[in-house]
């Protein structure tokens, strides 16, 4: 290993340790996540069948709510559509309801035409954490490799999330192809939030004056906590220095660690935690084959993720290190 001879002389930062303060509530919530106690409210039963059409065309049998319910079951329990159809049928049978369940083919077809889901309400000013991750898609390349052992290039999608730093919930999302960069989605994420934004925090990949301009156009007095790149230089435009220039000056004066503590950059780790939770609870692969269905699948996953987090959310605090 390079420089291993001097490893004992280096400054080692001990790994931070955390403890969960609400462990009994969190443990009960984790058990409740796996509960099969399902129930349909009277409002859902009344809206299960599709309303009569007023325009030419065939009459749908099931409402958008019925399709969304089946998709949420598929995402929550990570089961195929056929198993979700059987699970929904068993619930209706146990409740003795005069309803039918949409078959898996109907759910798959209607998923590509579902309207946008309602926005997530927020209270007070938001501290938004932005990050992105890759999701696998099952395509021809993977089929060729499994069937014939042929190495082929695989495609994937990029999921962009905006996380509320205060209550650890997803407030906005977008899904793009693998060639779309993260900074180009900042405006689309901020436009999905109705509440005022107090601060936007992201990693160094989002650094750049276009990102600052996009955030400034969304609202005034929004604090931006994005670490400048190592090669960043101050702007030459006249007038008082902007936030990015002030970040550069503070880093040069007090160091990067002091800057991170001053702007609260440590909360950005919650965005990475959300990405890990998504892949553990929702999955690291998209099941839908078309891009429209994949967007609906991600929107349903956001609803399920927020619902699961509302049931069980740990409250962890950092342990205090005793001085030797």
């Amino acid at each position: 290993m390079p420089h291993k001879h001097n490893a004992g002389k280096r400054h080692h930062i001990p790994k931070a340790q955390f403890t969960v303060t609400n462990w009994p509530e969190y443990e009960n919530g984790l058990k409740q996540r796996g509960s099969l106690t399902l129930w349909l409210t009277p409002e859902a039963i009344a809206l299960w069948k599709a309303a009569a059409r007023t325009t030419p065309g065939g009459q749908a049998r099931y409402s958008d709510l019925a399709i969304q319910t089946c998709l949420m079951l598929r995402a929550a329990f990570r089961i195929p559509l056929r198993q979700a159809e059987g699970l929904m049928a068993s619930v209706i049978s146990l409740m003795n309801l005069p309803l039918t369940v949409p078959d898996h083919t109907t759910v798959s077809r209607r998923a590509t035409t579902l309207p946008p889901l309602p926005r997530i309400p927020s209270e007070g000013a938001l501290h938004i954490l932005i990050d992105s991750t890759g999701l696998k898609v099952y395509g021809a390349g993977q089929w060729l490799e499994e069937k014939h052992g042929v190495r082929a290039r695989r495609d994937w999608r990029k999921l962009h999330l905006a996380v509320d730093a205060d209550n650890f919930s997803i407030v906005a999302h977008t899904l793009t192809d693998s060639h779309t960069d993260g900074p180009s989605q900042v405006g689309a994420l901020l436009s999905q939030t109705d509440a005022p934004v107090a601060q936007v925090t992201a990693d160094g990949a989002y650094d750049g004056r276009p990102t600052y301009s996009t955030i400034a156009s969304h609202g005034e007095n929004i604090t931006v906590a994005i670490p400048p790149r190592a090669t960043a230089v101050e702007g030459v435009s006249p007038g008082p220095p902007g936030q990015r220039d002030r970040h550069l000056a503070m880093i040069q004066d007090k160091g990067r660690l002091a800057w991170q503590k001053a702007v609260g950059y440590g909360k950005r780790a919650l965005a990475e935690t959300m990405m890990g939770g998504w892949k553990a609870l929702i999955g690291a692969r998209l099941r839908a084959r078309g891009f429209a269905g994949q967007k609906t699948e991600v929107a349903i996953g956001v609803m399920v993720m927020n619902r699961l987090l509302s049931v069980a959310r740990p409250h962890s605090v950092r342990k205090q290190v005793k001085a030797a």
Side-chain angles (χ1 to χ4, degrees):
M1 296 292 294
H3 310 291
K4 189 175 181 180
H5 179 74
N6 298 323
K9 302 178 182 178
R10 295 178 184 172
H11 176 66
H12 296 277
I13 301 177
K15 184 177 180 180
Q17 296 182 355
F18 295 84
T19 181
V20 178
T21 59
N22 62 335
W23 178 251
E25 296 82 1
Y26 179 53
E27 185 179 21
N28 293 331
L30 291 177
K31 296 177 183 178
Q32 189 177 355
R33 284 183 181 179
S35 174
L36 289 176
T37 304
L38 304 176
W39 204 255
L40 293 178
T41 62
E43 294 79 10
I45 296 174
L47 298 175
W48 190 261
K49 296 181 180 180
R53 290 190 58 170
T54 58
T55 57
Q59 172 64 41
R61 296 181 58 186
Y62 306 99
S63 64
D64 294 335
L65 177 63
I67 303 301
Q68 293 174 8
T69 303
C70 295
L71 291 175
M72 290 184 68
L73 284 179
R74 193 266 296 268
F77 295 100
R78 299 181 67 174
I79 56 179
L81 283 178
R82 288 178 174 86
Q83 278 73 15
E85 177 186 350
L87 179 59
M88 194 72 248
S90 64
V91 173
I92 292 178
S93 176
L94 292 174
M95 296 180 64
N96 295 322
L97 297 176
L99 300 176
T100 57
V101 180
D103 60 90
H104 57 278
T105 304
T106 301
V107 174
S108 179
R109 175 174 50 82
R110 290 278 300 277
T112 61
T113 59
L114 282 181
L117 299 178
R119 295 186 178 182
I120 303 172
S122 302
E123 298 180 359
L126 297 176
H127 178 186
I128 291 181
L129 314 172
I130 297 178
D131 203 356
S132 62
T133 187
L135 298 177
K136 299 178 181 178
V137 293
Y138 191 94
Q142 189 170 356
W143 181 86
L144 288 174
E145 184 174 350
E146 292 181 358
K147 186 68 174 180
H148 303 289
V150 178
R151 297 288 296 179
R153 184 177 181 179
R154 298 181 184 179
D155 195 10
W156 52 282
R157 300 286 184 255
K158 186 179 290 187
L159 174 63
H160 309 262
L161 295 181
V163 181
D164 188 348
D166 296 329
N167 60 10
F168 193 57
S169 62
I170 303 174
V171 296
H173 73 279
T174 59
L175 185 71
T176 62
D177 56 23
S178 58
H179 305 291
T180 304
D181 59 349
S184 64
Q185 299 300 306
V186 173
L189 292 173
L190 295 179
S191 63
Q192 298 180 29
T193 58
D194 296 329
V197 179
Q199 181 172 336
V200 176
T201 302
D203 59 17
Y206 293 82
D207 178 46
R209 303 194 185 279
T211 303
Y212 283 83
S213 300
T214 301
I215 297 175
S217 64
H218 184 76
E220 299 180 355
N221 302 324
I222 298 179
T223 303
V224 181
I226 300 177
R229 294 183 174 89
T231 57
V233 295
E234 296 184 4
V236 295
S237 59
Q243 290 195 62
R244 189 169 184 267
D245 294 337
R246 294 197 296 268
H247 292 332
L248 285 170
M250 184 176 182
I251 291 175
Q252 295 175 0
D253 183 28
K254 299 182 179 180
R256 190 169 291 268
L257 292 180
W259 172 85
Q260 292 181 0
K261 185 177 181 180
V263 301
Y265 183 72
K267 286 189 175 183
R268 193 195 65 84
L270 294 176
E272 297 183 354
T273 303
M274 179 64 75
M275 296 301 180
W278 179 284
K279 294 185 176 182
L281 298 176
I282 306 300
R285 183 176 68 86
L286 295 171
R287 299 177 177 88
R289 301 298 176 91
F291 191 51
Q294 292 168 0
K295 286 185 175 181
T296 301
E297 183 179 348
V298 167
I300 295 294
V302 169
M303 295 182 61
V304 172
M305 194 73 181
N306 287 333
R307 186 70 60 86
L308 293 176
L309 291 174
S310 66
V311 173
R313 182 183 290 116
H315 180 266
S316 59
V317 295
R318 187 171 180 175
K319 291 183 178 180
Q320 299 294 331
V321 180
K322 297 181 180 180

